[in-house]
Amino acid sequence: MHDTQGMQAFPDASALCAPRSLDELLLYRLSRAVRTASGMATRLVEGGFGITRREWGMIGTLAQHGEMTSSALAAHLQLDRVRTSRGLRSLVEKKLVSRRQDEEDRRGVHVRLSPSGRELFERVFPRIAALNTDLLAGIAPAQLDVFLQCLQHLEQRAGALSAQGVVAEKADRRAGGTRHRWPEAG
């Protein structure tokens, strides 16, 4: 059984619990859904407003939380400090974010939206919110409640599994990642 995009529909929950194909892997299906939907959001912010998806995440976080340290922003967005620093530098250059040094700890940097950053947020957020609403169209409220409970469980379970170190392998992207390991010596 296939849908209109050629992806196999889940026959029942047992397919998730004992996957036999790529289309029955939860992470694969979630990734496809997120990639498709976030691609639209990326085109919206990049094509319509000249900011990257990462910059939009920073703007949205600062709009929601107000001034924060760059380290707290990185932690909230689950980004490393280098990517956060690059994104903030770009946003400062675009005059969407202002930064100031911490008066007590000169290494610390506080960031907040500038007035133009706040204005941009007010223009972009309704469009992103409408996209999110459109994605949920046709799902009954009771189903959405169950979905949100499942999503919360998945987030908590993923955090617990990550903390347990169930995947011992580490990606070494600074050393070129898999480009320097394939093909494996045989």
Side-chain angles (χ1 to χ4, degrees), residues 14 26 39 43 49 120 126 136 145:
S14 66
L26 174 66
R43 288 191 305 276
F49 297 94
L120 178 65
L136 298 173
D145 288 338

Side-chain angles (χ1 to χ4, degrees), residues 49 56 59 63 113 115-127:
F49 297 94
W56 166 246
I59 289 169
L113 286 181
S116 57
R118 171 59 67 181
E119 179 184 322
L120 178 65
F121 174 79
E122 299 296 336
R123 289 175 50 211
V124 175
F125 184 81
R127 295 198 51 200

